[in-house]
Each structure stands twice: as C-alpha cells, then as structure tokens.
C-alpha cells in the first residue's frame, strides 16, 4: 500500500497547533530548569553546615561544596540558555506561519530599553550572578570555620 502526497499533507492550522504545543512544552521545561538546579545547588552548598564535625573527622575539605553548588548553577544557566534558543526557534516558525513575525512594540519613554531587555535573558544572568555572589560568601564563611 503506497501513500500519496495528499495523505501526508498537514494543513497550516494543524501545523500551527503542533508548533504551539511544542513551544508550550519547551517553555514549561525551560522555566522549570532554574528552580530544580537552583535547589540542587543550594542543597550541595549547605551540606557542610549540617554536621561540621563529620568533615573534620574524615579530613574532607568543606570548601568543595560551594564550588559544586556554583557548578550546578552554571549548568542550570547554560541549559536554560540552550533551551531558550530551541524554544524561540519554534516560536519564530510559529509566528512566521501565522503571519505575525513582528511583535507588538511598547510605547513610551523607555520603549527602546524595554524592547531590548528580555526576561528570558535577564533571569538566568541574574540567577547566575546572584548564585556566584552567594557561593563566594559561602566559601569565605566555610574558610573561616576550617
């Protein structure tokens, strides 16, 4: 049994629905990365505060834990950016399909600045910068305790 070209043709409406569903899935996945990895990074960073005597008994350096937490935050940021690129390529294809390639521009005195600043770029940068600062502070505190 052979398929003809008319059997495999997808209408624009069906294609738009598939692209929108793909975009929704990627958005949900993307925005769940920072909290999940952030929690793992925080847990890894606070392990030495749970029982400090354990590290002194086995001569394990407590200073490695803030570094592990920082590396997890770095991984979360990198994965977030990678997912954003995937997500917005799907969105661009969707917009092209429905004929709305241009997005609504904001009006007002700060319109240029607001058009350039995207929450999808500011959020992971802020996450990583904040976690870097907290990791340094954590490392300094643990350095004093050892």
């Amino acid at each position: 049994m052979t398929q003809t070209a008319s059997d495999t043709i997808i209408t624009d409406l069906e294609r738009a629905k598939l692209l929108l569903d793909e975009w929704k899935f990627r958005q949900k996945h993307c925005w769940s990365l920072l909290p999940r990895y952030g929690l793992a990074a925080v847990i890894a960073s606070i392990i030495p505060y749970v029982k400090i005597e354990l590290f002194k008994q086995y001569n394990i350096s407590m200073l490695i834990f803030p570094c592990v937490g920082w590396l997890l935050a770095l991984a979360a940021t990198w994965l977030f950016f990678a997912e954003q690129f995937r997500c917005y390529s799907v969105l661009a294809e969707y917009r092209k399909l429905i004929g709305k390639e241009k997005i609504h521009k904001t009006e007002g005195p700060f319109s240029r600045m607001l058009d350039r600043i995207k929450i999808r770029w500011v959020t992971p940068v802020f996450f990583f910068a904040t976690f870097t600062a907290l990791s340094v502070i954590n490392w300094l505190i643990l350095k004093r305790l050892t």
Side-chain angles (χ1 to χ4, degrees):
M1 191 162 160
T2 60
Q3 277 188 330
T4 62
S6 62
D7 292 339
T8 58
I9 293 176
I10 299 175
T11 65
D12 284 346
L13 180 60
E14 291 170 335
R15 189 168 176 231
K17 285 180 182 178
L18 288 172
L19 285 170
L20 188 59
D21 287 344
E22 175 74 12
W23 180 77
K24 287 178 186 178
F25 169 77
R26 289 196 177 278
Q27 274 292 91
K28 186 177 178 183
H29 173 68
C30 182
W31 285 100
S32 71
L33 285 172
L34 291 180
R36 282 188 294 161
Y37 274 82
L39 180 62
V42 166
I43 289 172
S45 297
I46 64 170
I47 286 175
Y49 297 105
V50 175
K51 200 165 189 182
I52 293 177
E53 303 85 38
L54 184 67
F55 295 97
K56 291 180 181 176
Q57 181 181 359
Y58 293 110
N59 293 329
I60 300 172
S61 178
M62 292 186 294
L63 301 177
I64 196 162
F65 291 99
C67 297
V68 169
W70 181 83
L71 287 173
L72 285 169
L74 177 64
T77 305
W78 181 80
L79 284 172
F80 185 89
F81 277 125
E83 282 298 317
Q84 281 297 322
F85 280 116
R86 291 181 194 107
C87 183
Y88 278 88
S89 64
V90 172
L91 183 61
E93 188 66 27
Y94 172 75
R95 285 184 179 150
K96 189 168 76 173
L97 182 66
I98 65 170
K100 292 191 176 184
E101 294 176 42
K102 298 283 183 187
I103 305 173
H104 164 69
K105 299 285 185 183
T106 55
E107 300 292 329
F110 299 109
S111 63
R112 271 195 168 160
M113 183 178 69
L114 291 176
D115 286 339
R116 290 184 180 163
I117 296 175
K118 304 288 186 211
I119 194 74
R120 66 180 185 257
W121 304 122
V122 172
T123 302
V125 169
F126 179 76
F127 170 83
F128 185 67
T130 303
F131 210 94
T132 299
L134 291 174
S135 292
V136 168
I137 292 169
N138 188 16
W139 191 85
L140 292 172
I141 290 171
L142 289 173
K143 182 82 173 151
R144 273 200 151 174
L145 290 175
T146 57

